[in-house]
Amino acid sequence: MGDDDLGLDEVLRAAEDAAPVESVDVIARKLEERFSASEVSFWLVDMLGRQAVRLPRAGSAGQAPGRAERRELAGSLYDRVLRSQDVRQEPAEEGGHRLAAPVTNRGDCIGVLDLVVPRTDDALREAVAQAAHALAYIVVTDRRFTDLYHWGRRTTTMSLAAEIQHQLLPSASCCEAAQFTLAGGLVPADEIGGDTYDYAFDQDALYLSITDAMGHDTDSALLATLTVNALRGARRAGGGVLDQAYAAHEALSRHSRGMTTGQLLRVELGTGVCELVNAGHPWPLRLRGGRVEEVAIGVNMPFGVPAPVTYEVQRRRLEPGDRLILITDGMHERAAAAVDLLSLVAATRDEHPREVVRALTKAVHDACGGELPDDATLLVLDWHGSGAVRRRTSGGSDT
C-alpha cells in the first residue's frame, strides 16, 4: 500500500463497525492518521440548496440545529466544488492546503468533505476524492438508521405538510445512469403542500411521474400521499403507466374528495420510446437540437375527478441529446409567468440537470418575491441513448 493509498476496504469495514452516527468520524480519523490532515469536516447541503451545514463530530451530542455552523453556498468554495464535481484546493489560513471534495452518489450532491493537509499532490487529491466518494455511500447507507443527516439539512422550520411531502419524494433528487441523467426539485422546500415527483428504473425502463394535488397545506399533502402510493403500488406490481393512472384515480375516488393532476412516463432504456399519460397536467418542455418547445400532447381528466374517465397512452421517442422537462403549474402561473422558461431552458442547455433545476426554481422563486402562492416543481431528464457509456469523474459522480 502506497503512502497516498487510503485503504478504502479498511475504511468501509471500520465505518460498518461504527455506529451510524459515528461513521463519518471513521473517514476523518483515517485522513488524520494517513495524511496528517486537520480540521476534517463534512458539510451537508441544506434542503433549500442555499447553505452548507457542518455535521457535528463525535462528542458534540446535543448540539441544536440552530447552533450548527453554517456557510452560504453562493460564490463559496463549496459551491464551486458542487458545481464542478472536482476536488478544489486553496491555501489554508493557518498554513498548508485546504482541500474540498464533493460527496456525491450517482449525481446526488450530498455535501462536501473539507480538510487541511500540510502537503498535496495529484495522488493525495485522488485519495481525498476517493474518501469523499466512499463517504457518500456511507451516508446513503447510514441515513436509514438516524435522523442526524436529516437534522443537518434543515436550516428552516418545516411545516407539517412539507414533512409529509418530503417522505413522498425519492431519497435522491438526482440520478445518473448510462442512458440518462435526471434531477428534480421544488420550491418552497420548507412549505410545500401538494407537488411531488418520483422516478424508478428497472432492467428495461425508466419510470417518471410528476403530480400536483389540489389545495394547500396538509389536505393537499394527504391527497398527494394517496396519489403517490397508488402510483408506486401499481408500478411495483408490474403495471405500466395506464395501470398506474387508473390506480391513482381509483384511490382518490374511493378515499378522498380531491383531485390530482399528473404526468406519468415510461421510457424504454433500449430504444428511447416513451409512453406517457397526461392527467390534466401542463405540457412538458423539450430541448432538441438547440430548440426549446412545448410537447403538445392530449390531456385527460385529473385523477379523482368525480366523473367517468378514460386515460390514453401516448407515444413519443426521445433522441440522444434530448432534454425533457416536466413541470407543475406553479412554474408558470401568476407571478411565475414573468419567467421566460423557454429562454431559460435554452440558456442552460450546457448545464447539468441539477444546475438547471437550481436555475429554474431560483428564477421562479425570485419572480414571486420569495412568496410562492403555489408549489413549483420540475423534473429534468437528459436522454443520452442506449449506447451511452458511463464514466467516473474525479469528483466521484457517475456520468
Side-chain angles (χ1 to χ4, degrees):
M1 183 182 298
D3 291 341
D4 287 332
D5 191 328
L6 191 61
L8 290 182
D9 288 344
E10 176 188 350
V11 169
L12 292 173
R13 284 195 300 270
E16 190 173 47
D17 290 339
V21 295
E22 297 175 353
S23 54
V24 171
D25 296 290
V26 171
I27 294 285
R29 286 193 296 270
K30 294 298 180 181
L31 290 167
E32 290 163 351
E33 294 168 1
R34 191 63 53 86
F35 305 121
S36 300
S38 60
E39 299 184 33
V40 182
S41 56
F42 173 44
W43 296 77
L44 284 162
V45 178
D46 80 332
M47 297 185 74
L48 303 180
R50 300 173 190 165
Q51 294 184 325
V53 182
R54 187 175 186 175
L55 195 74
R57 293 281 300 271
S60 53
Q63 182 179 4
R67 294 198 297 270
E69 185 177 353
R70 306 177 186 179
R71 293 182 182 176
E72 293 297 321
L73 275 177
S76 69
L77 170 65
Y78 298 160
D79 194 31
R80 294 193 295 274
V81 167
L82 293 170
R83 288 179 182 273
S84 68
Q85 287 296 292
D86 290 327
V87 176
R88 293 297 179 103
Q89 175 181 328
E90 63 179 26
E93 294 181 1
E94 62 278 17
H97 309 274
R98 180 172 298 280
L99 296 178
V103 178
T104 299
N105 175 250
R106 287 191 174 273
D108 184 36
C109 294
I110 301 169
V112 175
L113 178 64
D114 183 14
L115 65 152
V116 174
V117 291
R119 64 172 185 84
T120 184
D121 54 27
D122 289 343
L124 191 147
R125 282 188 290 271
E126 177 60 25
V128 170
Q130 291 178 4
H133 196 200
L135 179 57
Y137 280 93
I138 291 170
V139 171
V140 167
T141 299
D142 285 353
R143 65 186 176 191
R144 298 175 298 167
F145 310 116
T146 174
D147 281 339
L148 180 64
Y149 304 107
H150 298 284
W151 167 87
R153 296 188 64 213
R154 299 181 180 212
T155 50
T156 60
T157 301
M158 295 278 289
S159 69
L160 176 58
E163 191 72 54
I164 296 170
Q165 203 80 354
H166 276 284
Q167 301 309 308
L168 301 176
L169 301 178
S171 60
S173 62
C174 180
C175 180
E176 295 176 341
Q179 301 91 343
F180 65 86
T181 301
L182 64 83
L186 68 173
V187 288
D190 52 353
E191 289 288 344
I192 55 175
D195 283 11
T196 71
Y197 66 86
D198 198 16
Y199 67 86
F201 64 101
D202 55 27
Q203 294 92 335
D204 303 315
L206 168 67
Y207 294 88
L208 304 172
S209 72
I210 187 166
T211 62
D212 182 359
M214 65 177 288
H216 299 281
D217 302 323
T218 54
D219 288 340
S220 60
L222 294 173
L223 200 59
T225 300
L226 282 172
T227 305
V228 171
N229 283 286
L231 293 173
R232 285 176 176 167
R235 186 187 74 214
R236 291 166 180 171
V241 289
L242 195 61
D243 301 304
Q244 295 172 40
Y246 281 112
H249 176 69
E250 181 180 359
L252 268 62
S253 298
R254 292 180 59 185
H255 302 292
S256 79
R257 295 183 179 178
M259 295 181 294
T260 299
T261 69
Q263 199 146 229
L264 317 177
L265 286 80
R266 178 186 184 273
V267 184
E268 292 184 1
L269 297 179
T271 64
V273 170
C274 177
E275 298 179 337
L276 62 91
V277 171
N278 184 301
H281 208 71
W283 286 346
L285 308 178
R286 183 181 63 200
L287 171 63
R288 173 178 287 176
R291 180 184 177 188
V292 184
E293 60 184 352
E294 291 183 317
V295 181
I297 54 178
V299 179
N300 301 144
M301 299 297 286
F303 306 130
V305 64
V309 299
T310 299
Y311 293 109
E312 172 193 5
V313 174
Q314 303 171 73
R315 288 174 173 82
R316 298 290 189 274
R317 183 185 292 274
L318 295 176
E319 298 178 0
D322 279 358
R323 170 168 288 171
L324 191 67
I325 302 178
L326 311 181
I327 63 173
T328 60
D329 56 16
M331 289 293 297
H332 63 75
E333 290 188 346
R334 303 186 189 182
V339 178
D340 187 344
L341 287 178
L342 298 184
S343 295
L344 192 51
V345 169
T348 55
R349 61 185 175 274
D350 295 327
E351 298 286 347
H352 190 283
R354 63 175 166 255
E355 299 303 324
V356 178
V357 168
R358 289 177 62 173
L360 269 62
T361 53
K362 182 180 185 302
V364 168
H365 183 270
D366 292 347
C368 296
E371 297 293 334
L372 277 75
D374 296 300
D375 304 342
T377 303
L378 74 160
L379 190 58
V380 180
L381 170 68
D382 279 4
W383 181 250
H384 310 314
S386 59
V389 178
R390 243 171 57 214
R391 60 181 175 81
R392 180 156 294 156
T393 69
S394 59
S397 64
D398 299 326
T399 58

